[in-house]
Amino acid sequence: MTRFMQKTLVAALAASFAIGAYADDKAKTPEAAKPAAPTVAVDKNNISTMVGMDIGRGLTQIKDDIDIKVVEKALEQTLKGEKTALTQEEALQVRQEFMKQLQAKRVAEQKAAADKNKKEGADFLAKNKSKAGVKTTASGLQYLVEKEGKGAKPKATDTVKVNYLGTKIDGEKFDSSYDRGQPATFPLNGVIKGWSEGLQLMPVGSKYKLFVPSDLAYGENGPGQIGPNATLIFEVELLDIEKPAEAPKPAAAAKPAVKAEPAKK
């Protein structure tokens, strides 16, 4: 359920975005990290503009379902304490039913995207497997060796250091350690199945391209930028296998600095 669907349409948005969020941020900001003094006037006009912008961002998802003039009227009436076109009970009924409609719409959109991505991924992999150099494992993972290293191969329980670029089959980039300017380090038993399987094929020093079917990636739970049932492509360089950290040795029992003498009678 979206953030908007968990709040009221206007009043709670104004409170949470324009007032509550600001107060929370202020409370969490260390003294040394406070922003510099504002370069614009903090007057009624600019405060009103800021609140309007926050409310507008909160309403973006439903902009086609609302009449902004009616929203403005209801907001003004509520602030003035005047009678509105709906009672609180009627507004609650509208909100609950509207939330159901939004949820149903979201589910339908997710299913349509999942079906589309699944088909496109299957078509892509069917063509890709016949390309020169592409190999397919029993699980359906496809890979292409761009550079074969001479080091050891990691095990499923190992932690590896890699550089990588992740794209969708249409070439859209969604993640890259190169962009962050530093390699990534992670345990192979804590990543998607396609990564875990693919990295175990690679000797240290290798660079492979992995073509990961959706069921070996994120499946129907693909994050927003990736989407449900997406087939993914990763260019991966295996830089190293990290040594497990040594368990700290137990400290030796402390010895008394001076031998205690028996008390004199």
PDB file of all heavy atoms in Angstrom, residues 18-30:
ATOM      1  N   ALA A  18       4.383  18.802   5.550  1.00  0.00           N
ATOM      2  CA  ALA A  18       4.779  20.182   5.755  1.00  0.00           C
ATOM      3  C   ALA A  18       5.219  20.485   7.174  1.00  0.00           C
ATOM      4  O   ALA A  18       6.031  21.361   7.387  1.00  0.00           O
ATOM      5  CB  ALA A  18       3.610  21.114   5.387  1.00  0.00           C
ATOM      6  N   ILE A  19       4.669  19.772   8.160  1.00  0.00           N
ATOM      7  CA  ILE A  19       4.959  20.116   9.546  1.00  0.00           C
ATOM      8  C   ILE A  19       5.722  19.001  10.244  1.00  0.00           C
ATOM      9  O   ILE A  19       6.829  19.179  10.718  1.00  0.00           O
ATOM     10  CB  ILE A  19       3.648  20.438  10.298  1.00  0.00           C
ATOM     11  CG1 ILE A  19       2.935  21.593   9.602  1.00  0.00           C
ATOM     12  CG2 ILE A  19       3.924  20.776  11.748  1.00  0.00           C
ATOM     13  CD1 ILE A  19       1.549  21.864  10.137  1.00  0.00           C
ATOM     14  N   GLY A  20       5.111  17.792  10.273  1.00  0.00           N
ATOM     15  CA  GLY A  20       5.720  16.675  10.998  1.00  0.00           C
ATOM     16  C   GLY A  20       7.072  16.301  10.463  1.00  0.00           C
ATOM     17  O   GLY A  20       8.016  16.076  11.215  1.00  0.00           O
ATOM     18  N   ALA A  21       7.191  16.202   9.138  1.00  0.00           N
ATOM     19  CA  ALA A  21       8.463  15.793   8.540  1.00  0.00           C
ATOM     20  C   ALA A  21       9.558  16.800   8.878  1.00  0.00           C
ATOM     21  O   ALA A  21      10.691  16.431   9.166  1.00  0.00           O
ATOM     22  CB  ALA A  21       8.311  15.654   7.028  1.00  0.00           C
ATOM     23  N   TYR A  22       9.197  18.096   8.819  1.00  0.00           N
ATOM     24  CA  TYR A  22      10.182  19.132   9.141  1.00  0.00           C
ATOM     25  C   TYR A  22      10.621  19.030  10.590  1.00  0.00           C
ATOM     26  O   TYR A  22      11.805  19.110  10.910  1.00  0.00           O
ATOM     27  CB  TYR A  22       9.586  20.516   8.884  1.00  0.00           C
ATOM     28  CG  TYR A  22      10.450  21.642   9.415  1.00  0.00           C
ATOM     29  CD1 TYR A  22      11.603  22.042   8.752  1.00  0.00           C
ATOM     30  CD2 TYR A  22      10.117  22.276  10.612  1.00  0.00           C
ATOM     31  CE1 TYR A  22      12.403  23.046   9.260  1.00  0.00           C
ATOM     32  CE2 TYR A  22      10.910  23.288  11.119  1.00  0.00           C
ATOM     33  CZ  TYR A  22      12.047  23.676  10.439  1.00  0.00           C
ATOM     34  OH  TYR A  22      12.832  24.654  10.936  1.00  0.00           O
ATOM     35  N   ALA A  23       9.659  18.815  11.489  1.00  0.00           N
ATOM     36  CA  ALA A  23       9.992  18.725  12.901  1.00  0.00           C
ATOM     37  C   ALA A  23      10.873  17.522  13.181  1.00  0.00           C
ATOM     38  O   ALA A  23      11.827  17.592  13.954  1.00  0.00           O
ATOM     39  CB  ALA A  23       8.709  18.649  13.736  1.00  0.00           C
ATOM     40  N   ASP A  24      10.557  16.366  12.555  1.00  0.00           N
ATOM     41  CA  ASP A  24      11.354  15.169  12.763  1.00  0.00           C
ATOM     42  C   ASP A  24      12.782  15.369  12.284  1.00  0.00           C
ATOM     43  O   ASP A  24      13.738  14.994  12.944  1.00  0.00           O
ATOM     44  CB  ASP A  24      10.739  13.973  12.011  1.00  0.00           C
ATOM     45  CG  ASP A  24       9.466  13.505  12.680  1.00  0.00           C
ATOM     46  OD1 ASP A  24       9.248  13.890  13.844  1.00  0.00           O
ATOM     47  OD2 ASP A  24       8.689  12.766  12.036  1.00  0.00           O
ATOM     48  N   ASP A  25      12.929  15.970  11.090  1.00  0.00           N
ATOM     49  CA  ASP A  25      14.260  16.204  10.539  1.00  0.00           C
ATOM     50  C   ASP A  25      15.057  17.126  11.444  1.00  0.00           C
ATOM     51  O   ASP A  25      16.248  16.929  11.660  1.00  0.00           O
ATOM     52  CB  ASP A  25      14.162  16.809   9.133  1.00  0.00           C
ATOM     53  CG  ASP A  25      13.708  15.771   8.121  1.00  0.00           C
ATOM     54  OD1 ASP A  25      13.763  14.572   8.435  1.00  0.00           O
ATOM     55  OD2 ASP A  25      13.300  16.186   7.030  1.00  0.00           O
ATOM     56  N   LYS A  26      14.380  18.143  11.959  1.00  0.00           N
ATOM     57  CA  LYS A  26      15.068  19.099  12.824  1.00  0.00           C
ATOM     58  C   LYS A  26      15.545  18.414  14.093  1.00  0.00           C
ATOM     59  O   LYS A  26      16.658  18.644  14.566  1.00  0.00           O
ATOM     60  CB  LYS A  26      14.123  20.255  13.166  1.00  0.00           C
ATOM     61  CG  LYS A  26      14.782  21.340  14.006  1.00  0.00           C
ATOM     62  CD  LYS A  26      13.812  22.469  14.253  1.00  0.00           C
ATOM     63  CE  LYS A  26      14.461  23.560  15.106  1.00  0.00           C
ATOM     64  NZ  LYS A  26      13.534  24.657  15.400  1.00  0.00           N
ATOM     65  N   ALA A  27      14.702  17.516  14.639  1.00  0.00           N
ATOM     66  CA  ALA A  27      15.055  16.837  15.869  1.00  0.00           C
ATOM     67  C   ALA A  27      16.223  15.882  15.674  1.00  0.00           C
ATOM     68  O   ALA A  27      17.018  15.653  16.579  1.00  0.00           O
ATOM     69  CB  ALA A  27      13.850  16.066  16.402  1.00  0.00           C
ATOM     70  N   LYS A  28      16.338  15.296  14.461  1.00  0.00           N
ATOM     71  CA  LYS A  28      17.375  14.303  14.195  1.00  0.00           C
ATOM     72  C   LYS A  28      18.677  14.926  13.711  1.00  0.00           C
ATOM     73  O   LYS A  28      19.682  14.242  13.582  1.00  0.00           O
ATOM     74  CB  LYS A  28      16.880  13.300  13.147  1.00  0.00           C
ATOM     75  CG  LYS A  28      15.700  12.472  13.626  1.00  0.00           C
ATOM     76  CD  LYS A  28      15.185  11.594  12.490  1.00  0.00           C
ATOM     77  CE  LYS A  28      13.949  10.825  12.910  1.00  0.00           C
ATOM     78  NZ  LYS A  28      13.390  10.011  11.804  1.00  0.00           N
ATOM     79  N   THR A  29      18.678  16.216  13.396  1.00  0.00           N
ATOM     80  CA  THR A  29      19.867  16.843  12.823  1.00  0.00           C
ATOM     81  C   THR A  29      20.846  17.247  13.907  1.00  0.00           C
ATOM     82  O   THR A  29      20.508  18.018  14.792  1.00  0.00           O
ATOM     83  CB  THR A  29      19.471  18.108  12.024  1.00  0.00           C
ATOM     84  OG1 THR A  29      18.556  17.716  11.015  1.00  0.00           O
ATOM     85  CG2 THR A  29      20.699  18.742  11.401  1.00  0.00           C
ATOM     86  N   PRO A  30      22.070  16.724  13.901  1.00  0.00           N
ATOM     87  CA  PRO A  30      23.073  17.139  14.885  1.00  0.00           C
ATOM     88  C   PRO A  30      23.348  18.628  14.760  1.00  0.00           C
ATOM     89  O   PRO A  30      23.227  19.208  13.685  1.00  0.00           O
ATOM     90  CB  PRO A  30      24.314  16.318  14.513  1.00  0.00           C
ATOM     91  CG  PRO A  30      23.811  15.208  13.646  1.00  0.00           C
ATOM     92  CD  PRO A  30      22.580  15.747  12.963  1.00  0.00           C
TER      93      PRO A  30
END
